[in-house]
Amino acid sequence: MTIPFLDLQAINHEYADELKAACARVIDSGWYLMGEELSRFEADFADYCAVTHAVGVGNGLDALTLVIRAWKEQGKLRDGDEVIVQHNTFIATLAAIIENGLTPVLVDTDLTTFNLDVGAVAAAITGKTRLIVPVHLYGQLAPMPEIMALARQHGLLVLEDCAQAHGASLQGRKAGSWGDAGAFSFYPGKNLGALGDGGAVVCNDAALATLVRALGNYGSRIKYQHEYAGVNSRLDEIQAAILRVKLARLDADTERRRLIAERFTAQIHNPLINVPRATHREGHVWHLFVVTCRCRDALKDYLTERGIQTNIHYPLAIAEHPPYRHLTIPTRAQEAAQNQQILSIPLYHTLSDAAQVHLIDALNHFGSAQ
Ligand SMILES: Cc1ncc(COP(=O)(O)O)c(C=O)c1O
């Protein structure tokens, strides 16, 4: 049996008729950018996240970059300001900070949730800190009540990186509605994935939303009048139409993911493998199911031999990449070790029962079968 790490064909096949109808509607409309589909998706997505504004942009990186850029335009951030961010995120979070001339300060994460460690955040705050960027890594909300309390106490902005956590919620509040703004990616493999690139900024601040929209449209609110030095970063009509179809079923898909994750956590009981747990059921949307194992590479090879594709999110620490070598890595030795131990195993809502059984069985026999 072969189990791909992700099966986008199977995932999108479930929506095939509706997706084709949505594309046909856009093709026939003759209107391909900044039209009805985008405004409707933005309204639906803002509603879904329980915020007043959503602005579609070209991708998740741009969503992060444009919010920071907008805060610079508003004078809320300046070159050289320090930004607290976790060390184990995807490179895009760092790229958005550095591209804007701000200084990332990498901090430790909680070893069980992989999310920001509030104590580490508090310890990293200096007179130059202006922004915290919690990343809801692997689909689990960061400890937002504590992070927001800390941010308010020190007068800091908070930008949630929600690229992996569409629909995760805590105390009834969704990802993206906790901070001063949230940034989403609709990269095809995300829980809410387009059929190409896409992203969105969400917030409860009309002025910020207007500014982000202008910055992503050549700094223009009125055609051919450019108030800001902007870029071209727009969510096109076809992707917006596709996302409307998939958003309507996101909660149902997430529930299927949760049930699979719960089965994995209940049934994988190999002492060599640590399985992840959700701190709160609704707080985790299981974008990735990341186990840890001291002999991770052997486990990866063993699973490959059994037809199970795995992945590592992420194999190198940020400061191991040439452009980011100047950044200091957190010193906690355990943290560095975590990088050598993480392994993402397949988890998506179309994963068949047989595949789930094969996976659980393989993981439970690791070590004894060798
Ligand atoms: C945590 C995180 N932030 C940002 C991004 C960037 O999103 P995109 O690839 O759409 O630019 C991603 C995903 O790719 C991500 O996982």
Side-chain angles (χ1 to χ4, degrees):
M1 176 175 226
T2 303
I3 307 179
F5 181 69
L6 184 63
D7 189 348
L8 287 178
Q9 199 176 26
I11 289 171
N12 287 313
H13 183 73
E14 289 203 330
Y15 302 95
D17 292 343
E18 286 170 85
L19 293 179
K20 285 175 189 164
C23 291
R25 192 171 66 232
V26 176
I27 293 166
D28 293 346
S29 76
W31 194 278
Y32 307 118
L33 279 170
M34 295 191 294
E36 272 293 287
E37 298 289 345
L38 177 63
S39 350
R40 287 194 184 180
F41 172 68
E42 288 176 341
D44 291 352
F45 196 61
D47 233 36
Y48 181 80
C49 297
V51 293
T52 50
H53 296 85
V55 180
V57 296
N59 53 64
L61 169 62
D62 287 357
L64 292 161
T65 308
L66 291 172
V67 172
I68 298 177
R69 183 86 185 273
W71 281 334
K72 286 186 78 182
E73 285 286 349
Q74 291 178 329
K76 293 181 176 173
L77 293 175
R78 295 206 187 88
D79 282 354
D81 283 349
E82 289 181 4
V83 182
I84 296 177
V85 61
Q86 65 217 64
H87 71 94
N88 58 350
T89 184
F90 179 59
I91 209 74
T93 326
L94 269 291
I97 296 166
I98 291 170
E99 151 78 19
N100 274 297
L102 274 61
T103 305
V105 175
L106 300 178
V107 299
D108 283 334
T109 52
D110 181 289
L111 292 172
T112 52
T113 63
F114 305 100
N115 272 330
L116 270 182
D117 177 322
V118 181
V121 175
I125 295 173
T126 71
K128 291 171 92 179
T129 311
R130 292 287 173 272
L131 170 65
I132 304 175
V133 184
V135 183
H136 306 310
L137 205 68
Y138 306 152
Q140 175 146 246
L141 264 194
M144 291 312 294
E146 294 82 359
I147 290 171
M148 291 312 296
L150 204 55
R152 294 301 171 244
Q153 188 190 335
H154 294 271
L156 309 176
L157 291 164
V158 174
L159 168 56
E160 298 173 67
D161 183 336
C162 308
Q164 303 189 1
H166 314 71
S169 73
L170 198 59
Q171 299 170 4
R173 286 179 70 176
K174 290 260 176 74
S177 72
W178 283 88
D180 298 289
F184 284 86
S185 162
F186 305 124
Y187 181 78
K190 300 301 189 205
N191 288 23
L192 178 61
L195 302 190
D197 274 317
V201 169
V202 299
C203 62
N204 287 310
D205 176 343
L208 178 66
T210 305
L211 188 47
V212 166
R213 190 182 301 286
L215 288 171
N217 189 30
Y218 293 110
S220 166
R221 280 186 288 183
I222 301 166
K223 202 163 187 183
Y224 303 132
Q225 295 186 25
H226 306 280
E227 288 169 70
Y228 317 99
V231 295
N232 177 354
S233 182
R234 304 180 288 225
L235 183 66
D236 66 64
E237 290 288 284
I238 291 238
Q239 299 307 335
I242 284 164
L243 288 164
R244 283 179 63 204
V245 170
K246 296 181 76 171
L247 179 59
R249 300 235 299 268
L250 179 59
D251 283 346
D253 292 348
T254 300
E255 184 54 23
R256 286 162 73 187
R257 275 180 187 270
R258 282 200 181 113
L259 292 172
I260 298 171
E262 282 162 6
R263 183 178 190 185
F264 285 177
T265 40
Q267 296 182 15
I268 298 167
H269 41 69
N270 185 330
L272 298 174
I273 299 168
N274 294 310
V275 289
R277 295 189 193 273
T279 315
H280 304 275
R281 186 172 199 270
E282 69 288 358
H284 208 326
V285 294
W286 298 100
H287 174 58
L288 294 170
F289 192 90
V290 179
V291 303
T292 56
C293 175
R294 283 185 185 280
C295 25
R296 188 270 314 277
D297 293 341
L299 175 62
K300 187 170 179 32
D301 291 346
Y302 161 92
L303 292 172
T304 306
E305 280 162 25
R306 279 149 189 80
I308 300 168
Q309 265 180 20
T310 58
N311 230 319
I312 298 168
H313 297 91
Y314 299 93
L316 293 182
I318 297 280
E320 287 178 85
H321 301 275
Y324 307 108
R325 282 207 180 119
H326 61 288
L327 299 174
T328 25
I329 329 170
T331 46
R332 212 155 73 179
Q334 239 178 328
E335 205 77 67
Q338 193 182 67
N339 237 24
Q340 312 301 317
Q341 295 182 15
I342 48 175
L343 188 67
S344 309
I345 67 167
L347 192 163
Y348 35 95
H349 68 269
T350 56
L351 197 67
S352 70
D353 185 63
Q356 293 171 42
V357 171
H358 180 58
L359 233 154
I360 293 165
D361 198 54
L363 287 164
N364 281 337
H365 283 93
F366 173 66
S368 56
Q370 292 165 314

